[in-house]
Amino acid sequence: MQTVDQVIHAGWVIPVEPSGQCLPAHSVVIDGGRIEAVLPTDEAGGRYEPRVVHDRRDHAVLPGFVNAHTHAGMNLLRGLADDLPLMTWLNEHIWPAEAAHAGPEFVQDGTRLAVAEMLRGGTTCFNDMYFFPDVTARTARQAGIRAVVGMIFIDFPTAWASGPDEYIDKGLAVHDAWRDDALITTTFAPHAPYTVSEPNLERLRTIADELALPVHIHLHETADEIQQSLAATGERPIRRLDRLGLLGPGLIAVHMTQLEDAEIARIAETGVQVVHCPESNLKLASGLAPVAALGAAGVNVALGTDGAASNNDLDMLGELRTAAMLAKGVARDPAALPAARALEAATLGGARALGLGDRVGSLTPGKEADVIAVRMDGIESAPLFHPISQLVYASGRDQVSDTWVAGRHLFNDGVLTTLDQEEIVRRAHGWRDKIAGKPS
């Protein structure tokens, strides 16, 4: 028999690839941080001798969720300003709070809070855009979660950088520091077409092309964004980015709620990756992404929560359920985004969007073992006819019992193993008092 690090015995293994497959009474074999095999449980005992056995026979075991758009440090602004349109929310509340408080310690504590929340909800990888990406990378690595860290760029000065040259220099330093890391990768992260000028977008595109790095940007988020672009340039933002050479498989376009048919066709033609953030878009009344039309055109659609300041959670199970339901309503078609495709968007679709599809996103032998277990034996899961449907339409993040990243058990039967939950909450409450102006 072959000795391996660990075996997870599951009630059902949902590998995501191939789409819609659900394997009852199967086991996932992990060795050296990678998936060694997925096979029937009654065969696993005769072929493998594991150092550790995890009995999760009342659980569904599946790839971890890929949260394809976050602002992790902003977890400390959760609930600060609700029920407002995007630009009012940004200009009058979020940006002033960041100007007063955003710094390395703020980002560290906010990211720890975000990572703890994500691990508890089954997220094994997140794609971030925020200030102090060096702190985000270090904090994520210490916790053991996989992260794609955005090298933020905005035309105006912030606590992170004083101007374009410093944004680029500091960003490249982050890239160089983490370029060989097993868990941390980087993207360029210009905030949006309305906060980054065309010369700077061209400059970033040139450097991104040289380094073969993706570009992560908010795009076509609101109708107001489109109208401002038309008034200022005579072009819609996607047309401007196309003219600048940014449309392509390396562009991670977030939100995309305002799309015309010709734009969908061009996105599909150029291979742009789309990240759908349904709950944030709903809460800010930004618009509704045409997910069914994008999928029909062959566009890869991933899911993201956005930041907790606008969502207000980082719950990917909740996000994929909302995505599935919303797509049906927008398309007026109950089959617009079936459960299996919604689950794929939250896992393999996200991995593909981030350039990690060959490493994570499905339980495929040879891929890294980013795996989660979800309890399926409770009142909320009974009766159980179709596990994938049950996951998407009836399961909550409180049912996630275990999270592994590269085979490392970061959330073990309801307990975080690399983060101090009580300390994280204590520090979050301390930041609440500072931001609210309460005496310590």
Side-chain angles (χ1 to χ4, degrees):
M1 285 201 299
Q2 181 181 343
T3 300
V4 293
D5 291 336
Q6 48 193 320
V7 171
I8 308 167
H9 297 311
W12 304 266
V13 171
I14 301 170
V16 170
E17 202 172 23
S19 181
Q21 188 175 74
C22 183
L23 306 171
H26 269 59
S27 298
V28 178
V29 181
I30 299 172
D31 194 50
R34 295 184 177 275
I35 297 168
E36 176 71 20
V38 176
L39 74 170
T41 297
D42 58 8
E43 294 180 19
R47 291 178 55 183
Y48 296 100
E49 185 173 345
R51 297 179 179 89
V52 180
V53 174
H54 308 283
D55 191 340
R56 301 293 186 268
R57 294 176 215 232
D58 292 326
H59 295 61
V61 170
L62 57 148
F65 300 124
V66 177
N67 190 342
H69 180 63
T70 63
H71 308 285
M74 293 181 77
N75 254 51
L76 293 177
L77 302 178
R78 187 197 325 258
L80 175 67
D82 289 331
D83 308 323
L84 298 167
L86 175 64
M87 296 317 296
T88 303
W89 177 78
L90 281 172
N91 287 318
E92 298 181 18
H93 299 275
I94 298 304
W95 284 343
E98 289 175 333
H101 299 286
E105 186 180 8
F106 177 94
V107 173
Q108 172 187 276
D109 291 347
T111 300
R112 280 182 182 156
L113 180 63
V115 169
E117 180 179 355
M118 287 190 282
L119 289 173
R120 286 167 53 89
T123 292
T124 53
C125 176
F126 70 103
N127 179 37
D128 203 60
M129 176 194 286
Y130 205 56
F131 308 114
F132 299 94
D134 56 333
V135 176
T136 302
R138 184 177 68 248
T139 304
R141 192 62 173 89
Q142 289 170 347
I145 195 170
R146 196 178 304 278
V148 181
V149 178
M151 297 176 281
I152 187 72
F153 190 103
I154 303 177
D155 277 353
F156 50 82
T158 63
W160 168 241
S162 60
D165 289 344
E166 190 173 13
Y167 279 108
I168 289 174
D169 290 345
K170 281 190 165 184
L172 290 174
V174 173
H175 169 70
D176 289 342
W178 296 97
R179 64 191 309 167
D180 297 320
D181 193 82
L183 294 179
I184 307 297
T185 55
T186 55
T187 67
F188 278 104
H191 173 260
Y194 57 86
T195 54
V196 182
S197 68
E198 289 192 5
N200 284 329
L201 285 170
E202 284 189 291
R203 186 177 177 189
L204 290 177
R205 186 214 68 210
T206 299
I207 301 172
D209 288 348
E210 290 173 354
L211 297 177
L213 289 176
V215 174
H216 172 199
I217 188 170
H218 300 101
L219 186 61
H220 280 226
E221 183 173 1
T222 66
D224 186 55
E225 173 192 342
I226 309 301
Q227 293 307 313
Q228 287 188 19
S229 180
L230 286 169
T233 70
E235 293 180 308
R236 291 166 65 88
I238 283 178
R239 174 68 188 116
R240 291 170 56 208
L241 294 193
D242 199 1
R243 176 168 47 78
L244 296 172
L246 276 159
L247 298 194
L251 184 68
I252 304 167
V254 182
H255 297 304
M256 302 292 265
T257 70
Q258 314 290 320
L259 293 175
E260 297 177 342
D261 289 346
E263 290 168 336
I264 293 174
R266 183 60 179 156
I267 290 163
E269 179 185 6
T270 55
V272 170
Q273 313 293 330
V274 170
V275 180
H276 179 35
C277 302
E279 293 187 359
S280 176
N281 293 153
L282 284 168
K283 184 166 180 283
L284 292 169
S286 297
L288 306 173
V291 171
L294 288 164
V299 176
N300 180 53
V301 176
L303 290 183
T305 59
D306 210 346
S310 65
N311 187 316
N312 293 9
D313 58 42
L314 307 181
D315 178 4
M316 284 293 287
L317 264 172
E319 208 74 38
L320 70 90
R321 181 182 183 186
T322 299
M325 305 284 251
L326 187 61
K328 301 173 193 306
V330 170
R332 298 187 180 184
D333 176 4
L337 187 63
R341 279 179 48 207
L343 182 59
E344 184 174 339
T347 53
L348 187 58
R352 287 171 172 160
L354 305 182
L356 300 174
D358 60 339
R359 295 174 57 186
V360 296
S362 63
L363 301 185
T364 302
K367 284 192 175 183
E368 298 182 47
D370 290 10
V371 184
I372 65 172
V374 181
R375 296 193 68 93
M376 303 296 280
D377 60 345
I379 287 289
E380 296 79 5
S381 298
L384 181 56
F385 295 107
H386 305 291
I388 295 176
S389 173
Q390 202 79 6
L391 274 168
V392 173
Y393 297 124
S395 296
R397 61 177 169 176
D398 58 309
Q399 293 171 238
V400 176
S401 63
D402 299 84
T403 302
W404 292 263
V405 175
R408 188 180 179 191
H409 209 171
L410 303 182
F411 187 53
N412 184 351
D413 198 17
V415 178
L416 293 166
T417 65
T418 61
L419 291 166
D420 185 336
Q421 180 171 318
E422 291 184 2
E423 174 67 7
I424 288 169
V425 172
R426 185 187 69 79
R427 292 187 66 83
H429 288 328
W431 280 106
R432 173 202 59 199
D433 294 344
K434 290 179 186 178
I435 294 166
K438 294 181 180 180
S440 56

